[in-house]
Amino acid sequence: MGSVRQATAASPETAPAELINALTQIETAATAGNVEAVMQGYSPDFTNDDGFTYETLPAALETLWARYDNLIYRVELQSWERTNGGYTAETVTYIDGTQLANGQPTALESIIRSEQTFVAGKVVSQKTISERNQMTSGEMPPT
């Protein structure tokens, strides 16, 4: 019988600079609301299990950013693996922001766990593992 080699995900501390730089570039560009800079981190062949493509992602981002004045993105690398053409990374993305709706402040808090495949420093595919979005409104929303 042959042996089965199982890949083991590596810790974020051992991630190569190319992967860290790609994640940081996307995070910084998203917080700045710079869709062109965000898209520099994605391959023209990008696909997503939510149906987004390289062509549709910019409009989705612009729609979200138009609703919220000051979204702040934070991407945390959870684990990574070297693949034949690049890397697979599991990340958690935190998105926080506010908007005024009918004169009342509304806060958004999103936590998205996903797996991205990077080739040549760009995201070519993304699979959402879990997603939680919470909106609260008013001056002193319940906790």
Side-chain angles (χ1 to χ4, degrees):
M1 289 206 191
S3 65
V4 175
R5 185 172 166 233
Q6 188 170 11
T8 304
S11 70
E13 295 80 21
T14 63
E18 177 186 28
L19 179 58
I20 297 297
N21 291 342
L23 292 170
T24 300
Q25 182 267 329
I26 293 169
E27 172 188 79
T28 301
T31 295
N34 185 335
V35 73
E36 292 84 13
V38 168
M39 295 312 296
Q40 288 177 7
Y42 287 80
S43 165
D45 299 324
F46 172 72
T47 59
N48 172 283
D49 64 345
D50 287 334
F52 294 115
T53 65
Y54 186 81
E55 289 77 27
T56 62
L57 184 58
L61 290 172
E62 289 171 345
T63 298
L64 176 64
W65 296 344
R67 292 181 59 199
Y68 292 89
D69 296 332
N70 57 347
L71 289 178
I72 298 170
Y73 287 73
R74 184 170 47 99
V75 179
E76 291 182 0
L77 178 62
Q78 302 298 299
S79 63
W80 68 279
E81 291 180 39
R82 190 174 305 276
T83 62
N84 287 339
Y87 307 99
T88 298
E90 184 174 319
T91 62
V92 176
T93 301
Y94 299 89
I95 307 169
D96 294 295
T98 58
Q99 71 173 340
L100 281 178
N102 298 322
Q104 291 290 323
T106 302
L108 170 69
E109 178 185 288
S110 294
I111 302 172
I112 305 162
R113 180 177 291 271
S114 58
E115 179 182 281
Q116 295 96 10
T117 301
F118 290 81
V119 174
K122 296 186 182 295
V123 181
V124 294
S125 68
Q126 180 171 308
K127 178 179 122 184
T128 301
I129 298 168
S130 66
E131 182 173 356
R132 182 180 71 84
N133 298 296
Q134 179 177 340
M135 293 184 70
T136 55
S137 62
E139 294 290 332
M140 299 185 64
T143 56

